[in-house]
Amino acid sequence: MGAQGQELDGRHPGPKSDPLPRRKGIMNGANLEIGLASATLLIPMLALSAILITLVFSHQMPNNNSTYTITGNGTAESLGAAYYVDYSATTLVYIASLSSTVATLLLSAAMVLFSYFLASKFAKQSDNGEHHQLPSPYQLELLIRIIDGRLMALWSYLLYLFGSKQKRIRVPPVLLQASALMIALVILVGLINLADLWLHLGTKSVQYLAMRPSSPYGFTPGRGLSPSCLSNPRRDTPTPDGGIDVSNPADCIIFRGDAAKHTTLANHSEFIRTAGNQSDVNQVFFDNGLAVLGPYNPRPDWDFEATSFGSRTSCRVVTSECGAKSNTGAQVFYHWVSNYKCNDTAGLNLTGNFLALMPDESGMPPELTGAQNGDPEWQTQTGNSLQLSQYDMGFQYFQDSAKQQQIKVVYSGFRPDTPQLNWAVVFKLHLNVAFWNEKNNPSGFPIENVTGELDPWASLNLAYNMEGGANGILSCQTNISEVLYQFVNGTFHVKDTRPPRENASIPFVSGIFGDWAYEQLHQGLQLAVVSATNPDDLAAGFASAYDQAVLSVPAGVMQPLPALNVTRRVVTQVARVPIAPFFTLILLNLLFAFIGVILTVMAASVLSRGQSVKDAQARLSVAAVVAESFENPALGDDARNTDELYAERRGKVTRRVALGKTENGGRRFKQIVIKSSEESGELLR
């Protein structure tokens, strides 16, 4: 049998049905709803923040002794304001992005909590007859949609608020407050999204250089002297200069054969290798003019400190100050031109002739005391105690820093309590003028065109000799010290220096006083001359060569010492998390959760003031408005929840809603009431 019904205007009730049994009580479930909304609002934001903080700080790389990371091209950059996390950057970014996704979904939960406060205020204004504070039907529709957490409701509200004043009435407080909170939450969600984007763009995988303390077995970069080298040397007879004899420092570095001519360095081969930068044990490093004996090719992934010995030599070219003249023009064959006599400006007590540098077959300098080669005007100036060898160079050592008191006897006069060598070198190089032309005058000129007006070596403060080479004099000072040095990222650096302990400088001095280093010093001198463009370059170049030789002489007897501090440089692929966006996101998440706490407290507070708050709050919903429009109004008198506003949810006969046509061709809601469920066969299931 077909169903029979009657069309009803949605604004008017239909024929009365059997009266529904009335039940006492009001709506319940407020506590559960507030609890669920609060948990929905708080737990995700707090959990995501806690997870991010835990991952970052539990996997954070230690940066208390690391100062940079390694970029893709192998260069170093400062750590900067970021956390370096031994965790996947992709995973961290994904977890962070959940904050922005979840925050958008939680708007409705926040508005549910706030709806209790709005409902309480709405009910109070209604009870007090504050009609001007109540919303119009259109405003009520906006209020319900905003409470429902719909973003487009804000757009409708803003169009209404800033639209024509002739088409709206005064906005009631409940609508203002609801929209204000909704706008604030939308702004907060937008900031969370921006912070998430900021963190996403700033977080990347980098190579992090971690510094890990290490104690590598057998790593001995330090250099020291054995106890025998530090013991007091024999003093069979006092030296004429009042010093001590450094020729026999407990036979530490000097190996003595059956005769003096067999005296040589202990482990001479290591000296040669170290001086020539060919050793696989020792290496001389330089830092701001200080040469230090260290290990060969230390590992670049180890940073360490160690102790050793250092030498710092400073020189200046004083050839012209010593009156040396160039053999040019008509003077080229006059031997007296080779004389030199240093004045006070040179700061040297040194007089002689460059021709006396080369010893004869007996090993002694030639006797140049009278006229030679028919030249009665030339005579040798004497009075030096130059240390000579087969090379055209001689060293004069002085007992004082003013370089006035010459040390007359080799290996004597040195005072170990002041480990400072004051010395001068007189040299004669056989570099002909063709070399000078190639270096300084590419246009060239033949040697026979050299006149007294042209001095090719003047730019280096050297004198032009008869062979076309250069004569010169350098005044120098050398200080030997004990050094604390460090290697950081493969870079050598002197950390501290101090005077050597008693007798510690003797092996260096006794070795350099001998003739073992003459070949290396001569090569260093030649290299300094051919490389220099001015006297300062020449002086600095030979000073470095002398320091290299001084430190290389005892290299063969040096004892390896362990490093004082060793840290291993370990490169790890980590996530670089910038601090600013990370904490911005965390703070915004916590702010969202804090707002949730405030809304929860507000909801619980108004709920404790009266039981009718839930009834009022339930009416600020689409469900309640639909029930009021289409259901029997009596159902709302005793409904304990929103479902009971509907007859269907109570197991009662329900109405049907239709979209009927109007006379103008439009549509409107209409209700159909089923007369008898038994007659129509429409039993409520």
Side-chain angles (χ1 to χ4, degrees), residues 289-357:
L290 178 63
V292 179
L293 184 65
Y296 168 74
N297 194 25
R299 288 181 52 169
D301 59 337
W302 286 353
D303 289 356
F304 61 89
E305 293 182 353
T307 58
S308 185
F309 291 93
S311 175
R312 184 190 299 275
T313 298
S314 59
C315 295
R316 64 189 183 101
V317 184
V318 294
T319 308
S320 61
E321 289 84 347
C322 290
K325 297 180 174 59
S326 294
N327 295 69
T328 58
Q331 300 175 348
V332 70
F333 296 112
Y334 288 91
H335 300 90
W336 57 266
V337 179
S338 299
N339 287 338
Y340 59 85
K341 182 177 182 180
C342 300
N343 56 25
D344 293 339
T345 305
L348 288 174
N349 176 21
L350 198 62
T351 303
N353 188 283
F354 288 104
L355 297 179
L357 294 178

Side-chain angles (χ1 to χ4, degrees), residues 55-70:
L55 289 178
V56 169
F57 287 100
S58 64
H59 294 83
Q60 183 182 2
M61 300 296 290
N63 60 0
N64 57 329
N65 55 359
S66 294
T67 56
Y68 56 87
T69 58
I70 300 177

Side-chain angles (χ1 to χ4, degrees), residues 585-607:
L585 181 62
I586 295 298
L587 291 176
L588 290 175
N589 287 351
L590 295 179
L591 178 59
F592 202 103
F594 180 69
I595 292 175
V597 173
I598 294 177
L599 294 177
T600 301
V601 173
M602 292 175 62
S605 176
V606 297
L607 187 64

Side-chain angles (χ1 to χ4, degrees), residues 488-681:
V488 177
N489 194 24
T491 302
F492 175 82
H493 174 66
V494 174
K495 188 175 182 180
D496 192 20
T497 61
R498 69 177 185 182
R501 68 197 68 183
E502 185 179 6
N503 299 325
S505 58
I506 293 179
F508 298 93
V509 177
S510 60
I512 201 65
F513 274 5
D515 60 357
W516 302 291
Y518 267 71
E519 181 177 359
Q520 288 76 15
L521 292 174
H522 187 259
Q523 291 176 350
L525 180 60
Q526 288 181 315
L527 182 61
V529 171
V530 300
S531 303
T533 58
N534 55 62
D536 291 338
D537 288 346
L538 169 57
F542 185 66
S544 298
Y546 189 87
D547 285 331
Q548 177 106 12
V550 168
L551 296 177
S552 300
V553 166
V557 298
M558 283 288 177
Q559 289 187 337
L561 300 177
L564 301 181
N565 298 292
V566 181
T567 54
R568 185 185 175 196
R569 310 173 72 83
V570 180
V571 178
T572 307
Q573 193 79 10
V574 299
R576 183 185 186 276
V577 182
I579 295 176
F582 173 74
F583 273 111
T584 299
L585 181 62
I586 295 298
L587 291 176
L588 290 175
N589 287 351
L590 295 179
L591 178 59
F592 202 103
F594 180 69
I595 292 175
V597 173
I598 294 177
L599 294 177
T600 301
V601 173
M602 292 175 62
S605 176
V606 297
L607 187 64
S608 65
R609 298 174 188 173
Q611 295 180 339
S612 62
V613 174
K614 176 58 182 174
D615 290 83
Q617 186 265 351
R619 265 64 181 182
L620 296 179
S621 65
V622 175
V625 173
V626 171
E628 292 285 346
S629 300
F630 298 106
E631 291 284 4
N632 189 334
L635 293 175
D637 294 341
D638 59 353
R640 294 182 178 275
N641 52 59
T642 304
D643 283 354
E644 290 190 359
L645 293 175
Y646 296 89
E648 178 184 357
R649 300 300 293 164
R650 293 196 185 196
K652 304 296 181 182
V653 177
T654 186
R655 303 175 182 184
R656 302 302 175 92
V657 179
L659 282 174
K661 292 184 178 180
T662 64
E663 296 178 356
N664 298 328
R667 295 281 183 176
R668 64 183 299 180
F669 286 115
K670 293 183 180 299
Q671 297 185 61
I672 299 176
V673 177
I674 305 299
K675 290 183 178 181
S676 171
S677 60
E678 291 81 8
E679 293 177 357
S680 63

